[in-house]
Amino acid sequence: PRQERTDLYQLISELVSHFRDAAERKQVSLSMECPSSLVATSDPYFLREIIHALLENAVRYTPSGGTVALRAAASEDGGIAIEITDTGYGIPAHQQKNIFHKFFRGDNVVTKVTEGCGIGLYLVSLMVVLLHAKISCVSVEGEGSTFRVDLPA
């Protein structure tokens, strides 16, 4: 991976704009909070792919009337935290340990959302490792999920 200064505000704005139509078609509110001065030293290609995949999942697995919010900010340790929160289907508690495994799809969404093959989060997890970053997820079935990517200082 390359290490270069990446304007996160611009990157995130472009991705949110990209998903705006899909969100509106589903009647899902899509918002972002990101300081206009936020810059990361990281690989812009991998960052774009990670955020794209997480936003795509959030919009896909949030039913009509729900919300998706992306927040990015400098963290206390000098790194950057990127959070994508949705009010979607959530991930069953007994399956959460598998979310970054290849071909995983939650039991509760397979019948609701037919597209998808379960490699998106697996690929995200591989790219996060390449960036020396961390990814975590907090999810409650029927309430939604928050995926957080912590980029190192």
Side-chain angles (χ1 to χ4, degrees):
R2 299 187 316 248
Q3 290 290 313
E4 60 185 68
R5 288 178 55 83
T6 303
D7 182 338
L8 275 182
Y9 180 82
Q10 180 181 344
L11 187 149
I12 289 169
S13 295
E14 289 171 6
L15 287 169
V16 168
S17 292
H18 174 78
F19 285 103
R20 182 112 17 234
D21 286 346
E24 285 176 4
R25 276 194 302 278
K26 287 188 71 179
Q27 297 178 315
V28 169
S29 167
L30 177 58
S31 65
M32 71 171 264
E33 286 178 42
C34 179
S36 60
S37 60
L38 194 62
V39 174
T41 301
S42 192
D43 186 302
Y45 174 78
F46 286 135
L47 279 178
R48 179 177 298 279
E49 292 301 311
I50 289 166
I51 297 168
H52 183 280
L54 294 174
L55 269 177
E56 183 174 45
N57 280 356
V59 171
R60 176 182 293 162
Y61 295 113
T62 298
S64 180
T67 62
V68 173
L70 188 156
R71 287 181 301 284
S75 49
E76 293 173 11
D77 66 0
I80 293 173
I82 302 166
E83 286 187 348
I84 298 171
T85 300
D86 65 60
T87 59
Y89 301 119
I91 301 156
H94 71 280
Q95 292 188 306
Q96 290 181 16
K97 66 186 178 301
N98 299 321
I99 61 173
F100 298 113
H101 292 183
K102 201 181 325 182
F103 305 123
F104 170 78
R105 293 190 74 210
D107 291 340
N108 62 328
V109 297
V110 174
T111 57
K112 295 178 178 123
V113 181
T114 55
E115 69 270 2
C117 61
I119 62 166
L121 289 177
Y122 171 71
L123 293 174
V124 163
S125 71
L126 295 178
M127 288 184 279
V128 164
V129 168
L130 289 173
L131 296 181
H132 305 289
K134 292 186 175 92
I135 187 164
S136 58
C137 174
V138 175
S139 187
V140 177
E141 187 173 5
E143 294 181 22
S145 303
T146 296
F147 283 85
R148 178 178 169 127
V149 176
D150 287 292
L151 299 173

